[in-house]
Amino acid sequence: MQRRDFWKICLAAGWGFIIPGWLSPKAEAGLRIGDIPPRMILNDLKGTPFNLPGAFKGKVALIHFWASWCPSCRKEMILLETIHQHYGPKGILPCSIDVGETKEAAQQYLRNVKITYPVLLDPRSSTARQFGVSGIPTSYVLNRETIIRFKILGEPNQEGLDRIIKGLL
C-alpha cells in the first residue's frame, strides 16, 4: 500500500466516525422495516426531479446512500449496476443517493464509472436523516408496495443481495 493510499483510507475512516455523529441525533427517529418512506423529491445528476418512493411503485427498490469520500461505495455502485442490468427487466430499480455533497463532487467521483440507474443528490442530508442513516454506506430494500423490507449497514455482497431480491420478486 502506498503512503498516499494509506492517508486516503485514514481520511475516509475519520469521516466515517464524524458523519454518523453528525447524522445520528435526528437519525434515531428514522424509518424502520415495515415503514413506507414519505414522499420526497430529489434531483438526479442532470437536474431532473425524481419522486421517492413513487417512482418505485410496482418495482423492488434498492436505495443506496453514499458519499464520494467512501472507498467501498464505488464497489457497491458497480454491484448495483450489475444487479440493475441483470434484474432490471424483472422489476428491480436501484438508486444511489449522494449524501451531503455537491453535484460536482458526485460527478467527479463517478466520472470513470458507468452507472445507468438513477443517482440522486441529497446536498443537505435531509433525506438521509428522514431514513435514519447513521453511517455510509447504508442501503434500504423496498418491496413492490414501497414498504421497507431490509436495511443493510455497510457494503453488501452479491450473494446476499441476490437472496434478498429473489425473495421479493
Side-chain angles (χ1 to χ4, degrees):
M1 176 183 305
Q2 293 182 357
R3 185 177 181 172
R4 186 176 67 164
D5 293 333
F6 172 78
W7 287 112
K8 284 182 183 177
I9 291 169
C10 289
L11 178 63
W15 276 108
F17 291 117
I18 292 169
I19 295 297
W22 172 58
L23 292 174
S24 63
K26 294 182 181 177
E28 291 177 20
L31 300 172
R32 298 177 182 196
I33 292 173
D35 289 345
I36 295 176
R39 185 174 185 270
M40 304 168 220
I41 304 291
L42 297 173
N43 289 331
D44 68 12
L45 293 174
K46 296 176 185 172
T48 306
F50 189 90
N51 176 7
L52 185 78
F56 297 121
K57 190 73 170 167
K59 299 178 182 347
V60 174
L62 297 167
I63 301 173
H64 165 240
F65 289 90
W66 68 284
S68 65
W69 49 260
C70 171
S72 64
C73 291
R74 186 181 309 261
K75 289 188 295 186
E76 190 169 355
M77 293 174 90
I78 292 168
L79 172 61
L80 292 178
E81 179 63 27
T82 301
I83 286 170
H84 178 59
Q85 295 299 319
H86 185 263
Y87 291 108
K90 297 176 183 175
I92 302 297
L93 181 59
C95 100
S96 291
I97 300 175
D98 181 41
V99 178
E101 298 183 309
T102 64
K103 177 171 83 171
E104 292 75 24
Q107 288 173 324
Q108 175 73 16
Y109 184 76
L110 296 172
R111 73 176 185 268
N112 295 322
V113 180
K114 183 177 172 151
I115 302 295
T116 60
Y117 63 84
V119 176
L120 309 176
L121 301 170
D122 184 19
R124 292 187 206 111
S125 306
S126 58
T127 302
R129 280 193 296 275
Q130 282 186 303
F131 268 82
V133 173
S134 59
I136 301 291
T138 297
S139 299
Y140 292 81
V141 183
L142 283 61
N143 67 12
R144 292 179 187 269
E145 291 78 36
T146 69
I147 298 169
I148 297 172
R149 289 295 175 213
F150 296 91
K151 179 178 181 179
I152 304 166
L153 302 173
E155 184 181 348
N157 62 41
Q158 176 82 43
E159 184 179 302
L161 280 178
D162 281 340
R163 270 196 313 263
I164 289 170
I165 290 166
K166 287 176 184 174
L168 293 172
L169 285 177

